[in-house]
Amino acid sequence: MSFNFATLDTLRNHHPAWRLLRSDHAPLVASFLHRVFVLPNVRVMAAADLAEALEDELYALRQQLGETAFPKPALDYLNDWTAADKGWLRKFYRSGTDEAQFDLTPATEKAIAWLAQLSERQFVGTESRLLTLFDLLKQMSEGSEADPAVRIAELRKKREEIDAEIARIASGEVPLMDDTAIRDRFQQFIQGAHELLTDFREVEHNFRRLDRHVRERIALWEGNKGELLEEIMGERDAIADSDQGKSFRAFWDFLLSSRRQEELTELLERVLALPAVAALQPDARTRRIHYDWMEAGEYTQRTVAVLSQQLRRFLDDQAWLENRRIMDILHGIEGRALALRAYWGKNWPLPGAVMEIARAQADIELIMERPLFTPAVKPVIADLVLQAGDEDIDPAILFEQVVVDKAQLTRHIRHALQNKAQITLCELIAARPLQHGLAELVAYLQLGSDHFNAVVDENTPESVYWESWTDSGVPVSRCARLPRIILMHQSEK
């Protein structure tokens, strides 16, 4: 980025983060959105819940600053923050609901993060950042070395250093990190953890921007459909194969590893138990920060999947409407041509206008012209005599219905999560095979609890097997393929 006058003047006038910092209501906007969205890691909130929380905030401020402070209702402020000249919130509607939803924009989260850095810190650590930079340089240098001899020499050097350290520890010389170094590294970890949550919202914003750009291209495209689809799919592949897309995919694969999850949990427990770290009084959510990462990443993955489905549906609708319109025009031309064929053959004068095009106009429908609601009349059947049939039906089939005990399945999941941080659905079924086949598998997918969350990894398919029996008692093996489903402890709120 170029830090010249023109660039900075443009950012000052148009960037939402800078507009927020210039706003007279910046203390209200930043403090409220930080408390509601950033601090609890909430990605989306319904309009009614957000308006209620803001109304409580405004009431408390009016008690301190007077009744004339912030005179507008809470919902008016929220709608104002989503306007194009602000851009601090994103307002949208989910499919199948008419209730507005609000989400924080990446620019607002950047402004809040910058404000958080203005507070005076207990101390500014530089050692851990220097070591991190040094390690990054070493990783880039070693990772780009193509000479096997150099790589082997470097690995042998590391092995000698590790052997020397093992020898020193075995002889009783155990070097320990002092409290200052521990606090320095812990502060850097907390800063990086929160920046990572901010990155998720920006990645999601970039995918939505790509989807909007693609829809505009479809609406204005005048060339061949094949060329349009090729260009659109090429852009989506370019995003997936970009540095951002590859880095996000590598991070997501790393985080979904059960071994890495257990390792992160153990490391956090050990570090938070250190006296130097406990003296800093870290936030209680730090203990579950990796689950916040997974929740934010899962929301981003879901957003990308929904955008892809909507784009496919949009393309199908556009193609269907265009084909339907073309066929209607062709049929109209053919019918009119057949009607005029007799006139053309006998050289008779044409009867008036050959074809008319309706003038564009708006249809006016007044509300008072709509009829009132009329309830449907339910017929009363009083003199109908039931007659017994002659067919012989076995009523025993009524007692053979399959009933799946969801409470028992919930207990099985909670018991499995007592000794593990997470477990997949395939592992659950392997420990306790399906007794009722597909019905029990569907019941697993419908389960929800206050004690565990479910995360879907759509890039890793898995197979679930069970046995069923035919009417003659012959066992039949069944298989269902579905994305990997990971069950884990409920994140702290």
Side-chain angles (χ1 to χ4, degrees):
M1 174 182 168
S2 177
F3 267 66
N4 53 42
F5 176 84
T7 302
L8 295 179
D9 186 60
T10 302
L11 289 176
R12 177 177 176 272
N13 294 321
H14 300 287
H15 198 280
W18 204 322
R19 284 200 296 256
L20 172 59
L21 298 177
R22 294 173 52 200
S23 171
D24 295 336
H25 292 171
L28 169 64
V29 178
S31 61
F32 174 71
L33 296 181
H34 176 267
R35 179 176 63 84
V36 174
F37 283 101
V38 179
L39 197 60
N41 189 33
V42 173
R43 315 304 294 185
V44 176
M45 182 173 288
D49 298 334
L50 189 60
E52 182 180 359
L54 181 57
E55 196 64 58
D56 295 339
E57 183 87 3
L58 296 177
Y59 176 79
L61 291 176
R62 290 176 189 133
Q63 295 296 318
Q64 300 176 8
L65 306 176
E67 293 297 330
T68 59
F70 306 108
K72 295 193 298 185
L75 192 58
D76 291 347
Y77 282 110
L78 293 178
N79 291 327
D80 183 47
W81 297 349
T82 61
D85 60 337
K86 301 292 191 303
W88 304 331
L89 284 175
R90 182 175 72 97
K91 183 179 181 180
F92 64 101
Y93 292 86
R94 284 179 172 173
S95 178
T97 177
D98 57 353
E99 184 178 11
Q101 308 287 325
F102 287 93
D103 185 16
L104 206 62
T105 61
T108 305
E109 195 162 8
K110 288 181 181 179
I112 294 174
W114 184 80
L115 290 173
Q117 294 178 359
L118 295 181
S119 60
E120 184 176 350
R121 289 179 288 179
Q122 297 178 358
F123 73 97
V124 179
T126 55
E127 179 195 4
S128 61
R129 280 182 284 181
L130 176 61
L131 294 176
T132 301
L133 296 176
F134 185 74
D135 289 339
L136 290 175
L137 289 176
K138 288 185 64 178
Q139 292 175 16
M140 289 185 288
S141 176
E142 296 172 0
S144 59
E145 180 59 58
D147 188 355
V150 177
R151 298 286 291 271
I152 293 174
E154 188 66 29
L155 291 175
R156 287 175 177 171
K157 180 181 177 181
K158 290 182 180 180
R159 184 174 62 183
E160 293 174 358
E161 294 175 354
I162 293 174
D163 292 339
E165 185 175 0
I166 292 175
R168 288 195 301 270
I169 295 176
S171 63
E173 181 183 351
V174 183
L176 296 178
M177 189 178 296
D178 59 11
D179 292 348
T180 301
I182 292 176
R183 287 194 292 268
D184 180 13
R185 286 157 176 78
F186 183 74
Q187 281 193 351
Q188 186 180 359
F189 167 78
I190 292 298
Q191 182 180 358
H194 288 98
E195 289 176 353
L196 192 58
L197 289 174
T198 304
D199 292 341
F200 278 117
R201 187 171 269 116
E202 189 166 2
V203 170
E204 177 191 344
H205 173 74
N206 290 342
F207 276 108
R208 282 199 304 268
R209 184 174 57 185
L210 170 68
D211 180 78
R212 182 169 59 251
H213 172 68
V214 170
R215 290 172 184 267
E216 293 174 357
R217 297 286 298 276
I218 294 174
L220 301 176
W221 186 263
E222 297 180 355
N224 184 276
K225 279 186 174 294
E227 296 176 358
L228 172 63
L229 291 176
E230 182 178 358
E231 186 169 349
I232 291 173
M233 294 304 111
E235 290 185 4
R236 282 211 170 261
D237 293 339
I239 288 293
D241 295 336
S242 64
D243 293 339
Q244 178 176 260
K246 290 180 179 178
S247 178
F248 177 74
R249 187 164 59 249
F251 167 81
W252 187 244
D253 294 339
F254 178 90
L255 194 60
L256 284 181
S257 171
S258 59
R259 182 174 62 85
R260 296 294 187 181
Q261 285 284 332
E262 295 174 359
E263 184 179 358
L264 281 171
T265 302
E266 294 175 1
L267 288 174
L268 283 172
E269 293 290 345
R270 290 171 55 187
V271 169
L272 292 175
L274 297 175
V277 175
L280 296 175
Q281 297 180 352
D283 188 4
R285 294 186 62 87
T286 306
R287 195 178 304 274
R288 316 286 292 182
I289 189 65
H290 49 307
Y291 292 121
D292 287 343
W293 295 340
M294 180 166 288
E295 183 178 350
E298 170 68 12
Y299 184 80
T300 302
Q301 291 277 59
R302 288 293 184 187
T303 300
V304 174
V306 169
L307 291 177
S308 299
Q309 293 175 2
Q310 291 177 350
L311 178 60
R312 174 62 183 272
R313 195 179 305 117
F314 183 71
L315 287 171
D316 292 342
D317 292 344
Q318 288 289 106
W320 185 86
L321 290 174
E322 184 175 348
N323 293 335
R324 175 66 181 271
R325 180 174 176 273
I326 292 173
M327 294 304 298
D328 290 343
I329 293 175
L330 291 177
H331 288 163
I333 294 174
E334 291 174 353
R336 189 62 178 169
L338 292 175
L340 297 174
R341 183 171 56 180
Y343 293 91
W344 285 104
K346 299 180 180 180
N347 294 325
W348 290 352
L350 297 178
V354 176
M355 183 175 295
E356 295 180 356
I357 299 178
R359 185 175 57 185
Q361 61 181 5
D363 295 332
I364 300 176
E365 295 183 1
L366 300 178
I367 297 178
M368 299 304 296
E369 294 179 354
R370 299 179 183 178
L372 298 176
F373 172 74
T374 303
V377 179
K378 297 182 179 179
V380 179
I381 303 175
D383 55 352
L384 181 62
V385 179
L386 297 178
Q387 298 180 358
D390 298 332
E391 297 184 5
D392 187 12
I393 301 176
D394 186 8
I397 194 173
L398 299 176
F399 302 96
E400 297 178 359
Q401 302 298 317
V402 175
V403 178
V404 179
D405 189 355
K406 293 186 178 180
Q408 185 178 5
L409 301 183
T410 304
R411 289 194 298 270
H412 175 51
I413 297 175
R414 294 177 59 185
H415 178 73
L417 291 176
Q418 287 180 354
N419 301 322
K420 292 185 175 181
Q422 63 182 21
I423 188 172
T424 64
L425 181 59
C426 288
E427 292 174 346
L428 277 173
I429 295 176
R432 182 180 178 275
L434 299 177
Q435 303 295 324
H436 301 291
L438 184 60
E440 187 172 350
L441 177 59
V442 173
Y444 268 117
L445 300 178
Q446 295 175 341
L447 281 180
S449 174
D450 296 334
H451 302 282
F452 57 85
N453 282 335
V455 176
V456 180
D457 181 10
E458 298 182 354
N459 298 324
T460 307
E462 290 186 342
S463 300
V464 177
Y465 300 91
W466 71 89
E467 286 191 355
S468 61
W469 286 266
T470 62
D471 296 337
S472 58
V474 178
V476 178
S477 297
R478 306 288 186 184
C479 174
R481 292 182 58 83
L482 66 163
R484 174 183 291 174
I485 299 175
I486 304 173
L487 302 171
M488 64 185 68
H489 292 288
Q490 177 75 34
S491 301
E492 296 180 3
K493 300 295 182 185

